[in-house]
Amino acid sequence: MKTVSILGIGLMGMPMAKRLLDAGFELRVWNRTAEKCIPLVDKGAYPCSDLSDAAQSDILITMLADGQVVKGVVERLVAENQLTKDKIVIDMSSTSLDEVKEISELVLS
């Protein structure tokens, strides 16, 4: 089974992460405020101390504040060569069409 990381454990990221855990996925969680991950870690998720740790999963789901935050996270992962061609990146944040285009170009570069 593929491993999944959720980047952003907030109002939407938390219930999504719980559903993935309940479905039996191996889940890694990362949030800028690490304490928000504790309830998920208590349910069996692996806490990621940094983005490169979260990028070890096969699938990365972003559920972040907005497109600019997603862009910043993706830029960091690209700079660290963490987004290889075998990774799937799913952005579920509130992101504008222009931001989605910018982010997709970063991911595909």
Side-chain angles (χ1 to χ4, degrees), residues 55 57-58 77 81-89 107 109:
S57 291
D58 303 302
L77 292 172
N81 294 316
Q82 296 291 332
L83 294 182
T84 57
K85 295 198 183 297
D86 60 332
K87 304 281 183 190
I88 297 170
V89 179
V107 170
S109 64

Side-chain angles (χ1 to χ4, degrees), residues 5 7 60-64 70 73-74 89-93:
S5 284
L7 311 176
L60 285 76
I61 300 173
T62 59
M63 182 49 76
L64 299 165
V70 175
V73 164
V74 169
V89 179
I90 303 169
D91 176 30
M92 299 185 80
S93 309

Side-chain angles (χ1 to χ4, degrees), residues 17-88:
K18 285 180 181 176
R19 288 193 181 262
L20 289 169
L21 282 170
D22 290 344
F25 281 88
E26 182 181 324
L27 185 66
R28 302 167 77 83
V29 291
W30 175 85
N31 197 76
R32 290 181 288 180
T33 305
E35 293 79 27
K36 288 188 175 185
C37 296
I38 293 171
L40 297 167
V41 172
D42 291 345
K43 288 186 69 136
Y46 175 85
C48 298
S49 57
D50 56 41
L51 285 173
S52 61
D53 196 13
Q56 300 309 306
S57 291
D58 303 302
I59 301 168
L60 285 76
I61 300 173
T62 59
M63 182 49 76
L64 299 165
D66 58 39
Q68 289 305 304
V69 176
V70 175
K71 185 178 175 187
V73 164
V74 169
E75 285 174 336
R76 285 177 54 194
L77 292 172
V78 167
E80 296 171 3
N81 294 316
Q82 296 291 332
L83 294 182
T84 57
K85 295 198 183 297
D86 60 332
K87 304 281 183 190
I88 297 170

